[in-house]
Amino acid sequence: IRRVSVTGTVNANDYAGGLVGYSEGIIEESASRANVNVALNYAGGLIGYLKSISASEQPQLTDSYAQGSVRGEDYLGGLIGNIESGNVERTYAIGSVVAMGAFEPVNIGGLVGASTGQVIDSYYDTQTTGQATSAGGEGKTTLEMQTQTTYNNWDFDFVWEFVPVEPAYPTLIWEGPLLSPAEEPKFFTPAVRLILIIHLVVLIALVLLLIFIVRQQKRHQQKIEMLMRRPATPPSELPSLKGPSSR
């Protein structure tokens, strides 16, 4: 999976992520702003369960992030619920991570819930996630997460960028400019709706006028045709035009 971005809400029993529930593949330059809710275990803002595809050290998840919230019982992470021998590089998470079960969770973290893999140059916001610890990655304050120098070995020339939009966290260049809700264009404001209504009324009036003109032309044409069909009056039947007789 490469260059995929998702939003929305994911509800499942278990093994759920904003992008993928269970992955044994490679994911690059992808993002999720989806909120993830599971009734049981293995939930992550991006991936629920990440498993290594081979014994190689090739990273399975790179240059990706999650900003949505995560809810469940156990194995919960802002980015990944559980990593089984997989490698992760240059990622972050900022969504809140909350255990909703009756028992105290054992595997919960701001970035990763549980892991037997490697997590390199990855970070999570300890304030927004509500988690002080993680099975992988480094916890940072919101201010640190919104500072470019925090992100070691990240490519801010061709992969990542900072944009002055709240929340001011790194985004992927390929996503283009992201607008905050307050800055989203309002296409159907009252003024625009009024203009559209006026244009619609004018259009209807023009159509009605055109229909009237066409009907009048047809009536006029019919009258001309009726006059042309009338037979000519013979000369003998024409009234005599004689002057007064002289005596």
Side-chain angles (χ1 to χ4, degrees):
I1 298 174
R2 187 169 188 267
R3 292 189 175 180
V4 176
S5 180
V6 296
T7 60
T9 301
V10 178
N11 297 310
N13 195 46
D14 53 12
Y15 291 94
L19 181 65
V20 179
Y22 183 94
S23 175
E24 294 184 6
I26 295 174
I27 299 175
E28 301 173 335
E29 294 186 43
S30 294
S32 172
R33 295 175 184 82
N35 298 319
V36 181
N37 306 300
V38 298
L40 298 174
N41 307 319
Y42 301 111
L46 191 72
I47 303 171
Y49 195 105
L50 178 65
K51 184 177 181 180
S52 177
I53 54 178
S54 67
S56 70
E57 296 182 356
Q58 180 183 9
Q60 286 182 257
L61 176 64
T62 57
D63 297 307
S64 299
Y65 67 91
Q67 294 186 350
S69 62
V70 178
R71 303 285 186 276
E73 284 196 354
D74 205 354
Y75 291 93
L76 311 173
L79 187 76
I80 306 172
N82 185 72
I83 300 175
E84 184 181 335
S85 302
N87 297 328
V88 175
E89 295 183 7
R90 298 179 302 279
T91 63
Y92 78 86
I94 63 172
S96 63
V97 183
V98 179
M100 307 296 290
F103 302 99
E104 188 71 21
V106 177
N107 304 284
I108 183 172
L111 190 76
V112 181
S115 175
T116 56
Q118 288 186 315
V119 181
I120 302 169
D121 296 330
S122 296
Y123 311 91
Y124 64 96
D125 191 319
T126 57
Q127 295 174 261
T128 58
T129 62
Q131 300 296 322
T133 61
S134 175
E138 300 178 45
K140 302 289 184 181
T141 65
T142 299
L143 180 59
E144 290 174 318
M145 291 290 290
Q146 295 181 347
T147 304
Q148 183 171 321
T149 54
T150 296
Y151 302 88
N152 294 323
N153 300 316
W154 286 37
D155 185 349
F156 282 98
D157 292 323
F158 301 102
V159 179
W160 295 93
E161 67 178 349
F162 262 98
V163 292
V165 174
E166 293 296 332
Y169 294 90
T171 57
L172 296 162
I173 291 176
W174 71 263
E175 293 180 279
L178 301 176
L179 298 177
S180 66
E183 295 174 322
E184 290 181 357
K186 307 298 183 181
F187 295 106
F188 293 101
T189 61
V192 172
R193 285 196 294 267
L194 178 61
I195 293 173
L196 290 175
I197 291 172
I198 292 173
H199 279 77
L200 181 61
V201 170
V202 171
L203 179 61
I204 293 173
L206 289 174
V207 170
L208 293 175
L209 178 61
L210 180 62
I211 293 173
F212 175 78
I213 293 173
V214 170
R215 286 181 177 178
Q216 289 298 106
Q217 287 181 337
K218 285 185 177 180
R219 288 177 182 175
H220 183 67
Q221 184 66 29
Q222 288 174 352
K223 288 182 180 180
I224 293 176
E225 291 177 354
M226 289 178 63
L227 290 173
M228 293 181 65
R229 288 177 186 156
R230 284 183 180 179
T233 304
S236 59
E237 297 180 6
L238 292 174
S240 176
L241 299 174
K242 296 182 179 180
S245 56
S246 58
R247 293 182 180 179

